[in-house]
Amino acid sequence: MRILFEGFKYEKELLKEIFENSSFHHQDGTILKVGYYYSYKMNELVYLLPKVFLKDDTSTIFKGKKVEEFATQNLNISLKHDPIYKWARLTSIYFYKSLVEFKKRNTDTTILNSSEAHNLNSNLGDKEYSYQELVLSFVNFYRKNKTQILFNHIEHISNQVKKTKWEKTIRKSLPILNSNNQPVYTIFRNKKKVINREEELITLYFSVLNNLNKEHNFNLHIDKSYSIIEGAKFQSLKNTGYSKLRRIKFKYFNDTLKKMYHLCEMYFKHSNVGSLKKTDEFISVSSYNLVFEDMIDKLLTDKTYEIAGENKKNNIDDLRKNDDGKIIDHLFIEKSLIDTTNIFAIGDSKYYKTTKSAGKESRFKQFTYAKNIIQQNLNLFHEKSKKVDGVRYRDSVTEGYDITPNFFIYGFINNIYDFDSNVPKPRDVAESFHWKHRLFDRDTLFVHQYELNFLFILKSYSESNSNKIEAFRESTKQIFRANILDYFKNSQFEVFEYHGTNHEAFVIKHFKTLNGKSIITSEGKLLIAKHKNDENDEIVNLVNGLNKFEWI
């Protein structure tokens, strides 16, 4: 097995040695796709990892490892059991599940490429297979045969019920309840103890399946009547399972049990060999940035918005698609930073190497997205006398504009074993303005930047539990908002609250000074923002003695 990285330029001769198909790389040797590739001729698997695993041109996020080390030597390892390669096991499964989810969400996509999926059969051969294929074979075998396996299991238990000591059975065994709330005993106490090889195999199979189910969140419902080995005992079983299987070999005549046996043998055996179709096979994605964008989209973007006074849902894409042809990556309604109204938050996914940041061009585009959203909301009001329910951009008295939350989201990997951390990490903030000292001006915009754990995103994207996704969405939005508030609390702007009785008269009198520096909130508070470097005497006098505004 070898590991290559998207976006890295390799020696052409090396790639000729690995790939029969040149579509995986550019003519200059740069890897173009993400996925995995099996070469029948080389009898070798090649994983093509996303460029987010790269730190710079020569190193990766793997400590002490250079990019070339993963490509120029065949990593003769088994991913199935070694704790060091748990990241590879999880990544391969989540990657596969993410492609299934992407295809489901984007049925007309042309960026997903695959040959026929591997079909592991019951005769072990001398061709290498991937951990992903083995896991999916376990899961698919269970889904296809679970009824028959359970029937055979119950039949076996029934045959063992001879001369049962019911008093001892009731005292020492816990029953399960059927649909009529009647107790059903699956373990019986009797004199005759028979070692059943069939049950040994079923225990080994379901112990492996249970472990895979927990590790990869397949949400399989395994019947409680099976005897399952878990925890530390299962870790020990990884070392002894193959020898246990060898002792019960040739004991099975049922085709289902034979297949079950060989799946267990492939799992416990410390090599990656199996009988496969005699073809090159692969699953790959070009333009992986679109997949990453869809990941963030599922986790953050609102699906609908409402127009005030209309009892119907509107597709958020109506606002995401701008008149100038630009399409906003992510858009959701967020609570305003200054009052209880709402505002649209605008996000853009940046699929880069772990250490790279958005450049000048990307930042300019993001400022344009914000201006477009502001204008679209104003168009709704001016042209159709409508506004998005609960959203207010402009205060008509001061002519001040609310602050628009705007941010970049980067995929980031800090720990290859961490698939569960989901706390965004802030980077620096980019600013754009016409007048530097005007906070509440339409042209004063900020782009905040956040790193999100790519491995957590990969895992969550294929998550079927909508409650977990909603919990992530809400917690992430809260963190975004808290960080933006912290920024303004410690920024060059100081915001004060005017407590006079006639706000409108005050604004009209000092309009030239307050233009772009003031706004009246939905609760009727007049806020005045003074830049720390603004030495205009009149603004200094206006805020003198005023209390500072408490950001909410």
Side-chain angles (χ1 to χ4, degrees), residues 332-422:
F332 59 87
I333 292 177
E334 179 59 275
K335 183 181 176 184
S336 168
L337 298 172
I338 62 171
D339 58 26
T340 57
T341 61
N342 293 324
I343 201 79
F344 276 104
I346 304 162
D348 189 34
S349 303
K350 309 311 293 183
Y351 176 64
Y352 296 147
K353 296 177 184 178
T354 283
T355 50
K356 188 178 178 183
S357 295
K360 183 178 180 180
E361 182 178 338
S362 293
R363 297 184 183 203
F364 182 82
K365 286 181 180 178
Q366 198 63 17
F367 291 131
T368 302
Y369 293 153
K371 293 177 181 179
N372 287 349
I373 281 294
I374 293 171
Q375 187 60 51
Q376 281 183 302
N377 277 270
L378 293 178
N379 288 346
L380 282 171
F381 178 75
H382 291 305
E383 296 176 14
K384 303 177 183 179
S385 298
K386 297 178 180 180
K387 65 176 182 176
V388 178
D389 192 27
V391 173
R392 188 193 74 148
Y393 272 91
R394 181 178 178 273
D395 164 37
S396 59
V397 175
T398 63
E399 298 184 12
Y401 285 79
D402 200 349
I403 301 168
T404 299
N406 199 347
F407 48 86
F408 289 131
I409 298 174
Y410 300 91
F412 179 80
I413 300 177
N414 184 49
N415 181 351
I416 57 174
Y417 300 102
D418 181 10
F419 287 78
D420 298 310
S421 296
N422 66 340

Side-chain angles (χ1 to χ4, degrees), residues 295-312:
M295 290 178 181
I296 302 298
D297 206 46
K298 177 181 177 181
L299 297 175
L300 284 183
T301 297
D302 288 339
K303 294 182 179 179
T304 62
Y305 70 97
E306 293 185 29
I307 297 294
E310 295 184 1
N311 188 24
K312 68 174 184 177

